[in-house]
Amino acid sequence: MSTPSIPRNTHVGWIRAALAGLLSVCIGLAIGQLVASLRNKATSPVLAVGEAVIDRTPTPLKDWAIQHFGSNDKLVLLSSVTLGVLILAIVAGLLARRMLLLGAALLVVMLVVAGYAVLSRPYGSVGQLLPTVAAGVVGVIALVVLMALAGDATAAGLLQKVRALLPNASKNDGEGVRASRRSFIIGSTTTAVLAAIGAYSAQRINDAKSALGIKLPAARTPAPAIPVGLDTKVPGITPLRTPNGSFYRVDTELSTPTLDADSWELHIDGDVENPYKISYSDLIDMGLEEQNITITCVSNPVGGPYAGGATWRGVSTAKLLAKAKVRNPERPDLQVLSTSFDGFTISTPLGALTDNRGALLAVGMNGEPLPRAHGFPARLVTPGLYGMCGCTKWITRMTVTTFADKKAYWTQRGWGTAVKIKPTARIDVPGSLATVPAGKVTAGGIAWAQGEGVVKVQISLDNGPWTDAMMGPDVNVDYWRQWAYVIPNVKSGQHTLQARVIYGDNQQQSTTSAPVFPDGSSGIEQRVFLVS
């Protein structure tokens, strides 16, 4: 008995058409993500488009996103890209309702855009297009099948012709496709389940790849132990050492890279007499040292959270560059252009990586292997410079050149070069607009002045006189320092608290207010709180 064919003039409802477009793209993206997870997850169509959007986003908009969304800026961007794709998917379904070719054409256009995004990345090659092609092929096939099940005559006819061409097809195989409300529900549900399985499998594969399974040897030159801080006495202030899971992350990667230590290499070249490359195991065998260093992001606003103190373990960059034998190292215009695995670049003055400040090519953080989110297998950590000038994550190359010859990623976008971290004091407690009881009010926070050292922190209540706060332990000149002060007899009402750092040779923190662009924020933090 033959399967009844679909009438040629069957009209597909717009809800079914929209759902067909949406589900076809969902399963396409899931399969693309799954294929990418087996190869290189950065080649996932959505991630590739997201990375391309990041590269083309104006600097002021990036700053706005970081300031408003913080470390969730990537999630917001990725969600926005995904939402845009899903809206186009619905449009494709509605177009297919009028003409199947138009809906399929929109899916192909989306495929071409994603493919261009993949090819525009530094790792881009024809071979890296496989996830995008897989997503496109599966998406188009799913659209045709779902539209046929929804009652579209053109889609049904196309499937009938394909079925008739299959080997060992019976004479009835090309006669028709069953279309009904029940068939569409079953087909849609099946597509959704397969999409969910594909996405879940891709995530599980990526999670498995994220497991490090590496144990670092002890440092030959260990850092002094971090002392007990004021955070044990003053609730709410920042811990003296930032746990790895709480350490801020600001970079251009939409997903955490999963580089393999066994295949990773660092190339050191450029204006050197002895260019060479070194493997992860050879790097470890050079002998590790530790430094307690606080690093800060240039995007950190006054009072912002993008700073962290940690114990870093790695190899001295001075030792690595000495082996390369830099030509004319005294030249002031020399830089090291460090390159990440995906082509992202950072400019660091050669002197900052070869002087006695203790810059590291770090492989460990707080006694553990460097987390993937913070640069595994290796990253630069340069005391005294903002992250955009000396903290390249997932580093694969260090090229000695001049600032004039090569411009780094952020330099091309108008940010400064060789920008020193500006000294500042941050207020952690009381919280902004927090309500506290009248009487004694405990204030506290953290301050940094990398390269100079924090001498003391002073506070002022309601523009009153500046008063010295109690200081926490002094780790070193490149590490931040906690402070606290109990303000007596605070009466009910609204109050304003200010804090400033005194650093180095009794220098005062700048009072000049400046935004983060182009060389870091400055100014005195003011915290408004309420007393009941």
Side-chain angles (χ1 to χ4, degrees), residues 311-330:
T311 301
W312 305 93
R313 187 182 305 178
V315 176
S316 164
T317 55
K319 180 190 279 189
L320 292 167
L321 291 166
K323 182 179 178 181
K325 298 181 180 179
V326 177
R327 297 189 182 97
N328 302 317
E330 69 283 352

Side-chain angles (χ1 to χ4, degrees), residues 39-358:
R39 297 165 58 86
N40 175 5
K41 72 174 183 178
T43 59
S44 163
V46 172
L47 292 181
V49 171
E51 298 284 2
V53 170
I54 286 179
D55 285 348
R56 291 161 178 79
T57 300
T59 296
L61 184 56
K62 289 182 181 179
D63 295 341
W64 180 87
I66 291 174
Q67 291 178 24
H68 286 79
F69 300 115
S71 58
N72 293 317
D73 62 330
K74 300 177 186 64
L75 177 61
V76 171
L77 173 60
L78 191 57
S79 299
S80 299
V81 171
T82 302
L83 179 61
V85 170
L86 295 181
I87 290 174
L88 289 176
I90 293 173
V91 173
L94 295 176
L95 288 176
R97 177 173 179 255
R98 296 297 180 186
M99 183 181 294
L100 181 64
L101 182 61
L102 287 178
L106 180 54
L107 295 188
V108 171
V109 169
M110 294 164 64
L111 168 71
V112 171
V113 171
Y116 173 78
V118 172
L119 292 176
S120 67
R121 306 304 298 160
Y123 52 75
S125 66
V126 174
Q128 303 291 358
L129 288 174
L130 182 58
T132 304
V133 173
V137 171
V138 171
V140 171
I141 292 174
L143 178 65
V144 173
V145 172
L146 290 173
M147 289 299 293
L149 293 175
D152 181 78
T154 303
L158 180 60
L159 287 183
Q160 291 167 12
K161 292 178 181 179
V162 171
R163 290 176 61 184
L165 294 174
L166 294 176
N168 303 319
S170 69
K171 64 179 182 179
N172 292 326
D173 282 346
E175 291 184 4
V177 175
R178 183 180 298 276
S180 65
R181 182 172 180 272
R182 181 174 180 273
S183 297
F184 182 75
I185 292 175
I186 293 174
S188 299
T189 303
T190 302
T191 303
V193 169
L194 291 175
I197 291 173
Y200 175 77
S201 300
Q203 186 60 50
R204 293 288 293 178
I205 292 171
N206 289 330
D207 290 344
K209 287 184 175 181
S210 296
L212 293 177
I214 291 175
K215 185 176 181 179
L216 289 179
R220 293 182 184 176
T221 309
I226 297 292
V228 176
L230 293 181
D231 48 294
T232 60
K233 302 176 181 178
V234 183
I237 71 169
T238 300
L240 190 55
R241 180 162 68 182
T242 310
N244 291 356
S246 304
F247 209 94
Y248 81 92
R249 178 186 170 191
V250 177
D251 52 58
T252 61
E253 298 299 327
L254 279 178
S255 64
T256 303
T258 53
L259 277 65
D260 181 22
D262 292 335
S263 60
W264 176 87
E265 289 181 332
L266 175 69
H267 296 253
I268 299 181
D269 56 17
D271 197 6
V272 298
E273 296 178 9
N274 180 37
Y276 69 97
K277 62 183 179 181
I278 187 170
S279 68
Y280 186 79
S281 59
D282 289 339
L283 182 68
I284 300 298
D285 290 342
M286 289 183 69
L288 305 180
E289 60 182 76
E290 284 184 330
Q291 302 283 353
N292 294 318
I293 300 170
T294 294
I295 61 174
T296 310
C297 180
V298 72
S299 296
N300 197 41
V302 172
Y306 308 127
T311 301
W312 305 93
R313 187 182 305 178
V315 176
S316 164
T317 55
K319 180 190 279 189
L320 292 167
L321 291 166
K323 182 179 178 181
K325 298 181 180 179
V326 177
R327 297 189 182 97
N328 302 317
E330 69 283 352
R331 288 178 55 185
D333 62 338
L334 284 180
Q335 63 158 325
V336 173
L337 186 77
S338 51
T339 305
S340 185
F341 79 104
D342 63 349
F344 175 85
T345 52
I346 279 180
S347 291
T348 308
L350 175 66
L353 297 178
T354 56
D355 60 19
N356 61 2
R357 74 181 66 195

Side-chain angles (χ1 to χ4, degrees), residues 389-467:
C389 299
C391 290
T392 314
K393 302 175 193 173
W394 311 289
I395 187 172
T396 58
R397 186 176 297 273
M398 296 171 64
T399 302
V400 179
T401 182
T402 64
F403 285 102
D405 286 343
K406 297 285 185 179
K407 293 189 182 296
Y409 181 92
W410 291 117
T411 309
Q412 296 173 23
R413 288 156 177 77
W415 291 83
T417 58
V419 182
K420 295 181 179 180
I421 299 172
K422 297 177 181 178
T424 190
R426 187 177 76 195
I427 302 170
D428 293 334
V429 291
S432 180
L433 299 179
T435 300
V436 298
K440 294 180 180 180
V441 174
T442 300
I446 206 141
W448 57 84
Q450 288 91 327
E452 303 279 354
V454 173
V455 175
K456 59 184 174 181
V457 168
Q458 297 178 325
I459 69 162
S460 170
L461 182 67
D462 298 330
N463 294 315
W466 290 96
T467 305

